[in-house]
Amino acid sequence: MSQITAEIVAQHGLSEDEYARVLHALGREPNLTELGIFSVMWSEHCSYKSSRIHLKKLPTTGARVICGPGENAGVVDIGDGQAAIFKMESHNHPSYIEPYQGAATGVGGILRDVFTMGARPVANLNALRFGRPDHPKMRHLIAGVVAGIGGYGNCVGVPTVGGEVNFHPAYDGNILVNAMTVGVAQADKIFYSAAAGIGNPVVYVGSKTGRDGIHGATMASADFGEDSEEKRPTVQVGDPFTEKLLIEACLELMASDAIVAIQDMGAAGLTSSSVEMASKGGVGIRLDMDKVPCRETGMTAYEMMLSESQERMLMVLKPGREAEAEAIFRKWELDFAVIGEVTDTGRMVLVHHGETVADIPLEPLADEAPVYDRPARATPPPAPVGATPRFTDVAADLLKLMGSPDLASRRWIYEQYDPKVGGNTVQPPGGDAAVVRVHGTDKALAITTDCTPRYCLADPVEGGKQAIAEAWRNLCAVGATPLAATDCMNFGNPQRPEIMGQFVGCIEGMAAACRALDFPIVSGNVSLYNETKNEDGSGSAILPTPAIGGVGLIDDWRRAATIGFKGTGDIIVLIGERSFHLGQSLWLRECQGREEGPPPPVDLDAERRTGAFVRQQILAGALTAVHDVADGGLAVAVAEMALAGGIGAMLAAPTPHGLPATYFAEDQGLYVATVADAMLHDFLHASTRAGVTVERIGRTIAGRIIVECPAADHVVSLDDLRAAHEGFFPALMGG
């Protein structure tokens, strides 16, 4: 009689059809260990079974791309024989259940993805989405997540240099914690994960294996129900000090030629790392479970294979190099064990206490995992925005916006991170993109994360375009040439056609923008089932959130642009074509209480032309400050520049479109910049030659922002703006 019942199959997240495929692949019934291995490898988190066919629509190649999706992280050429290696991943479900460890191990996991490929990590970023600030759990979640990110990143010695934070009721029961790491490596010393060499030793290094994180990948591939607290044991526990040792030990061994292949043990732990290495290499693998270093007694093969204990790596070494490698890892006080070998069988074979406890063909686990083309219902076009006021108190609305959850200063958050550790951070959090110098050179990497989920909900195609375009624009705004992007696709239950429609729409928009802007996607992550089950069985999904991490290159870090006004008397210009679009704007939501209309359209040709012009003018030294127009529109962009520089602005009278549309429209492809008087003539001539629209909209002044109006000027002091802007998080978090 089989020990595998229908209930056990369901507990492992497999459908009846999928279990039938398991039976066919094995030609017999699986034992519990084999079922567990199929469960995690066929989970949404590991197999991308609902998203794979759509991800293929994204452009992934380019002149600078060395390695696109399919490896631990993406690799791009940054010149001089160097490469940037980067990726973004989600740790959403664990961070809701146990915010400190969930966020901390999210940072640890993405760091391993990057240094696994031979790169020294140089920067961390994060993209966070929380629910209503007054939700009873939200303070606890915010405090834990921020402390976890800071605690891990600070201890491991990698600066946290940027990110984003949004609030919306859709995230009340399912917050998002997306972590990004960027590293630098020698382009001829990139390490890959495909196992090779029959008989070569398979080596386990790092921390010991425990019972934490078992079924983490399966848990991350299901909706949240009322039992979310019971899933606490599926959350991993991190140790950043061990991670630091692991980074140094791996990089030291990588300086030799002993490594054939290397893979971190992330989601699904020893299972996914061994399966992926063997399947990519077209070989087999045999593991002796008695040799796996364990920190708990009596662990079964099932537990060892499915544990997601942190700070562990799997390697294939060249024969005879084991002693050399072991000496390095012992020196760094890390575990080292030869636990198996590469075989020619095309199968995964596990032996425990002298018995074969699993014998599985690898192809069904990896390349032949289920792929679904799920029904997708397109999001209907939103109705146009209803009538909006032509007049408003710009000063009062600006104060309200600058103190609102989505626009308030994030200082309370980023002051808990160390943005300067390593000594190469040129621009820390607070600008359009972080800028990190490539050590020992004049070059710098510009890095950003971007997404506007409310746009994606209203129109997934346009929202997907905008997410890519804004990342590209933020890189241009500091003077960087955009190189490539990584994505983190956070969505609800893909078995609901409207959710799958959001995913497909966002991919379509992203792909169009990537092609138009020559900005390929080189790595990424998909996180589905981000929703909470209601009492009636229906699901409350998050907003569709395709977070984008962008990386660009600056040839000389000293020429990077910043957002702060530099002095009084500079001319303020608006670069790009306005359309006065108020649909889905924060002004409409925060000041009018309305969430309606289509998101602002993205003109990709104009975006590319304007961004290239801005980069050229930064390089020419014509612009003294630059900032893109985004959430909150022109008035908010100017206010952020004023607060960053401690210098105010006098803004020209409104256009015929009225005060709200002039100052709070969230038109895309726009930049605010300041130009010194002496440079203005040449700058305007250059804009004409480039076919780029430029408006003179004001001048920098001392101490306040003044909006000139025929009836009466609208005035707000920088002191009042700063108090509103800086006050939200300390008030929410209690200091």
mmCIF file of all heavy atoms in Angstrom, residues 359-392:
data_model
loop_
_atom_site.group_PDB
_atom_site.id
_atom_site.type_symbol
_atom_site.label_atom_id
_atom_site.label_comp_id
_atom_site.label_asym_id
_atom_site.label_seq_id
_atom_site.Cartn_x
_atom_site.Cartn_y
_atom_site.Cartn_z
ATOM 1 N N ASP A 359 15.531 8.212 -6.854
ATOM 2 C CA ASP A 359 16.142 7.908 -8.149
ATOM 3 C C ASP A 359 15.207 8.483 -9.206
ATOM 4 O O ASP A 359 14.182 7.885 -9.552
ATOM 5 C CB ASP A 359 16.313 6.398 -8.304
ATOM 6 C CG ASP A 359 17.073 6.027 -9.584
ATOM 7 O OD1 ASP A 359 17.320 6.934 -10.414
ATOM 8 O OD2 ASP A 359 17.408 4.842 -9.744
ATOM 9 N N ILE A 360 15.540 9.674 -9.694
ATOM 10 C CA ILE A 360 14.608 10.448 -10.528
ATOM 11 C C ILE A 360 15.314 10.898 -11.804
ATOM 12 O O ILE A 360 16.420 11.444 -11.741
ATOM 13 C CB ILE A 360 14.116 11.712 -9.778
ATOM 14 C CG1 ILE A 360 13.541 11.353 -8.410
ATOM 15 C CG2 ILE A 360 13.087 12.466 -10.597
ATOM 16 C CD1 ILE A 360 13.175 12.584 -7.569
ATOM 17 N N PRO A 361 14.687 10.703 -12.976
ATOM 18 C CA PRO A 361 15.252 11.297 -14.195
ATOM 19 C C PRO A 361 15.192 12.824 -14.090
ATOM 20 O O PRO A 361 14.213 13.393 -13.606
ATOM 21 C CB PRO A 361 14.344 10.762 -15.307
ATOM 22 C CG PRO A 361 13.067 10.380 -14.636
ATOM 23 C CD PRO A 361 13.431 9.984 -13.229
ATOM 24 N N LEU A 362 16.260 13.495 -14.526
ATOM 25 C CA LEU A 362 16.357 14.942 -14.322
ATOM 26 C C LEU A 362 15.495 15.755 -15.287
ATOM 27 O O LEU A 362 15.008 16.827 -14.927
ATOM 28 C CB LEU A 362 17.819 15.382 -14.442
ATOM 29 C CG LEU A 362 18.673 15.056 -13.206
ATOM 30 C CD1 LEU A 362 20.138 15.074 -13.550
ATOM 31 C CD2 LEU A 362 18.359 16.028 -12.089
ATOM 32 N N GLU A 363 15.317 15.278 -16.504
ATOM 33 C CA GLU A 363 14.580 16.087 -17.481
ATOM 34 C C GLU A 363 13.173 16.443 -17.016
ATOM 35 O O GLU A 363 12.749 17.596 -17.133
ATOM 36 C CB GLU A 363 14.543 15.383 -18.842
ATOM 37 C CG GLU A 363 15.844 15.536 -19.605
ATOM 38 C CD GLU A 363 15.707 15.115 -21.052
ATOM 39 O OE1 GLU A 363 14.656 14.554 -21.424
ATOM 40 O OE2 GLU A 363 16.672 15.338 -21.820
ATOM 41 N N PRO A 364 12.392 15.492 -16.479
ATOM 42 C CA PRO A 364 11.050 15.873 -16.016
ATOM 43 C C PRO A 364 11.081 16.896 -14.874
ATOM 44 O O PRO A 364 10.139 17.672 -14.708
ATOM 45 C CB PRO A 364 10.441 14.547 -15.546
ATOM 46 C CG PRO A 364 11.228 13.488 -16.231
ATOM 47 C CD PRO A 364 12.606 14.041 -16.383
ATOM 48 N N LEU A 365 12.156 16.901 -14.077
ATOM 49 C CA LEU A 365 12.239 17.846 -12.964
ATOM 50 C C LEU A 365 12.493 19.261 -13.435
ATOM 51 O O LEU A 365 12.034 20.222 -12.827
ATOM 52 C CB LEU A 365 13.370 17.444 -12.011
ATOM 53 C CG LEU A 365 13.102 16.285 -11.063
ATOM 54 C CD1 LEU A 365 14.360 15.987 -10.258
ATOM 55 C CD2 LEU A 365 11.941 16.596 -10.129
ATOM 56 N N ALA A 366 13.253 19.408 -14.527
ATOM 57 C CA ALA A 366 13.700 20.737 -14.947
ATOM 58 C C ALA A 366 13.074 21.134 -16.280
ATOM 59 O O ALA A 366 12.019 21.779 -16.313
ATOM 60 C CB ALA A 366 15.220 20.760 -15.022
ATOM 61 N N ASP A 367 13.680 20.746 -17.375
ATOM 62 C CA ASP A 367 13.247 21.217 -18.691
ATOM 63 C C ASP A 367 11.836 20.775 -19.058
ATOM 64 O O ASP A 367 11.149 21.451 -19.830
ATOM 65 C CB ASP A 367 14.222 20.725 -19.771
ATOM 66 C CG ASP A 367 15.601 21.340 -19.597
ATOM 67 O OD1 ASP A 367 15.687 22.388 -18.916
ATOM 68 O OD2 ASP A 367 16.585 20.775 -20.108
ATOM 69 N N GLU A 368 11.404 19.633 -18.521
ATOM 70 C CA GLU A 368 10.076 19.129 -18.873
ATOM 71 C C GLU A 368 9.059 19.365 -17.767
ATOM 72 O O GLU A 368 8.005 18.712 -17.715
ATOM 73 C CB GLU A 368 10.159 17.632 -19.207
ATOM 74 C CG GLU A 368 10.988 17.359 -20.461
ATOM 75 C CD GLU A 368 11.141 15.869 -20.742
ATOM 76 O OE1 GLU A 368 10.458 15.057 -20.068
ATOM 77 O OE2 GLU A 368 11.941 15.517 -21.628
ATOM 78 N N ALA A 369 9.353 20.320 -16.875
ATOM 79 C CA ALA A 369 8.368 20.696 -15.852
ATOM 80 C C ALA A 369 7.124 21.251 -16.540
ATOM 81 O O ALA A 369 7.189 21.728 -17.674
ATOM 82 C CB ALA A 369 8.973 21.741 -14.920
ATOM 83 N N PRO A 370 5.965 21.186 -15.871
ATOM 84 C CA PRO A 370 4.738 21.670 -16.507
ATOM 85 C C PRO A 370 4.857 23.127 -16.963
ATOM 86 O O PRO A 370 5.514 23.941 -16.311
ATOM 87 C CB PRO A 370 3.693 21.546 -15.386
ATOM 88 C CG PRO A 370 4.243 20.538 -14.439
ATOM 89 C CD PRO A 370 5.727 20.674 -14.509
ATOM 90 N N VAL A 371 4.255 23.410 -18.107
ATOM 91 C CA VAL A 371 4.154 24.785 -18.607
ATOM 92 C C VAL A 371 2.691 25.031 -18.943
ATOM 93 O O VAL A 371 2.077 24.244 -19.676
ATOM 94 C CB VAL A 371 5.027 25.002 -19.865
ATOM 95 C CG1 VAL A 371 4.826 26.412 -20.405
ATOM 96 C CG2 VAL A 371 6.495 24.777 -19.549
ATOM 97 N N TYR A 372 2.125 26.111 -18.415
ATOM 98 C CA TYR A 372 0.706 26.394 -18.623
ATOM 99 C C TYR A 372 0.514 27.695 -19.389
ATOM 100 O O TYR A 372 1.187 28.692 -19.113
ATOM 101 C CB TYR A 372 -0.019 26.497 -17.269
ATOM 102 C CG TYR A 372 0.010 25.213 -16.467
ATOM 103 C CD1 TYR A 372 0.439 25.208 -15.144
ATOM 104 C CD2 TYR A 372 -0.376 24.003 -17.035
ATOM 105 C CE1 TYR A 372 0.470 24.044 -14.408
ATOM 106 C CE2 TYR A 372 -0.349 22.824 -16.313
ATOM 107 C CZ TYR A 372 0.074 22.846 -14.995
ATOM 108 O OH TYR A 372 0.110 21.677 -14.275
ATOM 109 N N ASP A 373 -0.377 27.638 -20.352
ATOM 110 C CA ASP A 373 -0.836 28.857 -21.033
ATOM 111 C C ASP A 373 -2.213 29.160 -20.454
ATOM 112 O O ASP A 373 -3.234 28.769 -20.998
ATOM 113 C CB ASP A 373 -0.896 28.634 -22.543
ATOM 114 C CG ASP A 373 -1.209 29.917 -23.301
ATOM 115 O OD1 ASP A 373 -1.388 30.964 -22.632
ATOM 116 O OD2 ASP A 373 -1.282 29.877 -24.542
ATOM 117 N N ARG A 374 -2.219 29.804 -19.329
ATOM 118 C CA ARG A 374 -3.472 29.993 -18.590
ATOM 119 C C ARG A 374 -4.356 31.030 -19.274
ATOM 120 O O ARG A 374 -3.851 31.963 -19.908
ATOM 121 C CB ARG A 374 -3.166 30.424 -17.158
ATOM 122 C CG ARG A 374 -2.371 29.384 -16.354
ATOM 123 C CD ARG A 374 -2.445 29.689 -14.879
ATOM 124 N NE ARG A 374 -1.604 28.820 -14.054
ATOM 125 C CZ ARG A 374 -1.941 27.615 -13.616
ATOM 126 N NH1 ARG A 374 -3.110 27.101 -13.964
ATOM 127 N NH2 ARG A 374 -1.121 26.898 -12.856
ATOM 128 N N PRO A 375 -5.669 30.880 -19.128
ATOM 129 C CA PRO A 375 -6.582 31.881 -19.695
ATOM 130 C C PRO A 375 -6.261 33.262 -19.143
ATOM 131 O O PRO A 375 -6.036 33.436 -17.943
ATOM 132 C CB PRO A 375 -7.965 31.407 -19.229
ATOM 133 C CG PRO A 375 -7.800 29.956 -18.924
ATOM 134 C CD PRO A 375 -6.385 29.785 -18.450
ATOM 135 N N ALA A 376 -6.228 34.248 -20.039
ATOM 136 C CA ALA A 376 -5.899 35.619 -19.643
ATOM 137 C C ALA A 376 -6.969 36.562 -20.178
ATOM 138 O O ALA A 376 -7.239 36.581 -21.387
ATOM 139 C CB ALA A 376 -4.537 36.017 -20.188
ATOM 140 N N ARG A 377 -7.582 37.303 -19.277
ATOM 141 C CA ARG A 377 -8.603 38.276 -19.673
ATOM 142 C C ARG A 377 -8.016 39.676 -19.576
ATOM 143 O O ARG A 377 -7.569 40.107 -18.508
ATOM 144 C CB ARG A 377 -9.837 38.156 -18.784
ATOM 145 C CG ARG A 377 -10.976 39.072 -19.223
ATOM 146 C CD ARG A 377 -12.313 38.632 -18.649
ATOM 147 N NE ARG A 377 -12.374 38.712 -17.201
ATOM 148 C CZ ARG A 377 -12.558 37.659 -16.391
ATOM 149 N NH1 ARG A 377 -12.672 36.435 -16.903
ATOM 150 N NH2 ARG A 377 -12.616 37.812 -15.083
ATOM 151 N N ALA A 378 -7.997 40.369 -20.707
ATOM 152 C CA ALA A 378 -7.403 41.703 -20.740
ATOM 153 C C ALA A 378 -8.178 42.660 -19.837
ATOM 154 O O ALA A 378 -9.408 42.583 -19.720
ATOM 155 C CB ALA A 378 -7.378 42.238 -22.168
ATOM 156 N N THR A 379 -7.463 43.564 -19.200
ATOM 157 C CA THR A 379 -8.085 44.596 -18.373
ATOM 158 C C THR A 379 -8.836 45.569 -19.275
ATOM 159 O O THR A 379 -8.256 46.107 -20.226
ATOM 160 C CB THR A 379 -7.012 45.360 -17.577
ATOM 161 O OG1 THR A 379 -6.302 44.432 -16.751
ATOM 162 C CG2 THR A 379 -7.626 46.450 -16.716
ATOM 163 N N PRO A 380 -10.127 45.805 -19.020
ATOM 164 C CA PRO A 380 -10.863 46.743 -19.882
ATOM 165 C C PRO A 380 -10.293 48.154 -19.759
ATOM 166 O O PRO A 380 -9.812 48.543 -18.690
ATOM 167 C CB PRO A 380 -12.298 46.677 -19.342
ATOM 168 C CG PRO A 380 -12.189 46.097 -17.975
ATOM 169 C CD PRO A 380 -10.970 45.239 -17.962
ATOM 170 N N PRO A 381 -10.329 48.941 -20.841
ATOM 171 C CA PRO A 381 -9.790 50.301 -20.781
ATOM 172 C C PRO A 381 -10.530 51.127 -19.724
ATOM 173 O O PRO A 381 -11.758 51.059 -19.622
ATOM 174 C CB PRO A 381 -10.053 50.860 -22.185
ATOM 175 C CG PRO A 381 -10.312 49.671 -23.041
ATOM 176 C CD PRO A 381 -10.880 48.606 -22.159
ATOM 177 N N PRO A 382 -9.805 51.877 -18.917
ATOM 178 C CA PRO A 382 -10.473 52.686 -17.895
ATOM 179 C C PRO A 382 -11.246 53.843 -18.526
ATOM 180 O O PRO A 382 -10.868 54.347 -19.590
ATOM 181 C CB PRO A 382 -9.313 53.209 -17.042
ATOM 182 C CG PRO A 382 -8.111 53.119 -17.915
ATOM 183 C CD PRO A 382 -8.344 51.994 -18.865
ATOM 184 N N ALA A 383 -12.316 54.229 -17.873
ATOM 185 C CA ALA A 383 -13.079 55.386 -18.340
ATOM 186 C C ALA A 383 -12.230 56.643 -18.187
ATOM 187 O O ALA A 383 -11.362 56.720 -17.306
ATOM 188 C CB ALA A 383 -14.361 55.532 -17.522
ATOM 189 N N PRO A 384 -12.465 57.639 -19.032
ATOM 190 C CA PRO A 384 -11.698 58.883 -18.907
ATOM 191 C C PRO A 384 -11.922 59.536 -17.543
ATOM 192 O O PRO A 384 -12.920 59.272 -16.866
ATOM 193 C CB PRO A 384 -12.260 59.762 -20.033
ATOM 194 C CG PRO A 384 -12.945 58.819 -20.964
ATOM 195 C CD PRO A 384 -13.418 57.669 -20.135
ATOM 196 N N VAL A 385 -10.998 60.389 -17.170
ATOM 197 C CA VAL A 385 -11.136 61.133 -15.924
ATOM 198 C C VAL A 385 -12.329 62.070 -16.036
ATOM 199 O O VAL A 385 -12.516 62.744 -17.049
ATOM 200 C CB VAL A 385 -9.860 61.961 -15.643
ATOM 201 C CG1 VAL A 385 -10.021 62.770 -14.361
ATOM 202 C CG2 VAL A 385 -8.659 61.058 -15.535
ATOM 203 N N GLY A 386 -13.149 62.086 -14.976
ATOM 204 C CA GLY A 386 -14.250 63.041 -14.950
ATOM 205 C C GLY A 386 -13.728 64.459 -14.806
ATOM 206 O O GLY A 386 -12.524 64.699 -14.695
ATOM 207 N N ALA A 387 -14.632 65.395 -14.803
ATOM 208 C CA ALA A 387 -14.244 66.804 -14.716
ATOM 209 C C ALA A 387 -13.410 67.051 -13.463
ATOM 210 O O ALA A 387 -13.702 66.525 -12.388
ATOM 211 C CB ALA A 387 -15.489 67.681 -14.699
ATOM 212 N N THR A 388 -12.353 67.835 -13.637
ATOM 213 C CA THR A 388 -11.496 68.197 -12.499
ATOM 214 C C THR A 388 -11.479 69.718 -12.360
ATOM 215 O O THR A 388 -11.675 70.446 -13.334
ATOM 216 C CB THR A 388 -10.052 67.701 -12.705
ATOM 217 O OG1 THR A 388 -9.567 68.200 -13.955
ATOM 218 C CG2 THR A 388 -9.999 66.191 -12.723
ATOM 219 N N PRO A 389 -11.232 70.217 -11.141
ATOM 220 C CA PRO A 389 -11.181 71.670 -10.940
ATOM 221 C C PRO A 389 -10.076 72.303 -11.788
ATOM 222 O O PRO A 389 -9.025 71.705 -11.993
ATOM 223 C CB PRO A 389 -10.865 71.819 -9.448
ATOM 224 C CG PRO A 389 -11.169 70.503 -8.837
ATOM 225 C CD PRO A 389 -10.992 69.479 -9.902
ATOM 226 N N ARG A 390 -10.323 73.502 -12.284
ATOM 227 C CA ARG A 390 -9.285 74.230 -13.021
ATOM 228 C C ARG A 390 -8.416 75.044 -12.073
ATOM 229 O O ARG A 390 -7.343 75.510 -12.453
ATOM 230 C CB ARG A 390 -9.925 75.169 -14.060
ATOM 231 C CG ARG A 390 -10.542 74.425 -15.240
ATOM 232 C CD ARG A 390 -11.029 75.385 -16.319
ATOM 233 N NE ARG A 390 -10.034 76.367 -16.689
ATOM 234 C CZ ARG A 390 -8.959 76.132 -17.461
ATOM 235 N NH1 ARG A 390 -8.750 74.906 -17.916
ATOM 236 N NH2 ARG A 390 -8.115 77.092 -17.751
ATOM 237 N N PHE A 391 -8.902 75.211 -10.852
ATOM 238 C CA PHE A 391 -8.157 76.012 -9.886
ATOM 239 C C PHE A 391 -7.976 75.215 -8.597
ATOM 240 O O PHE A 391 -8.820 74.391 -8.246
ATOM 241 C CB PHE A 391 -8.888 77.332 -9.598
ATOM 242 C CG PHE A 391 -9.106 78.153 -10.828
ATOM 243 C CD1 PHE A 391 -10.320 78.119 -11.499
ATOM 244 C CD2 PHE A 391 -8.079 78.939 -11.344
ATOM 245 C CE1 PHE A 391 -10.521 78.860 -12.655
ATOM 246 C CE2 PHE A 391 -8.279 79.688 -12.501
ATOM 247 C CZ PHE A 391 -9.495 79.648 -13.159
ATOM 248 N N THR A 392 -6.880 75.473 -7.927
ATOM 249 C CA THR A 392 -6.613 74.826 -6.653
ATOM 250 C C THR A 392 -5.600 75.668 -5.903
ATOM 251 O O THR A 392 -4.927 76.518 -6.499
ATOM 252 C CB THR A 392 -6.082 73.396 -6.865
ATOM 253 O OG1 THR A 392 -6.057 72.712 -5.619
ATOM 254 C CG2 THR A 392 -4.678 73.395 -7.454
#
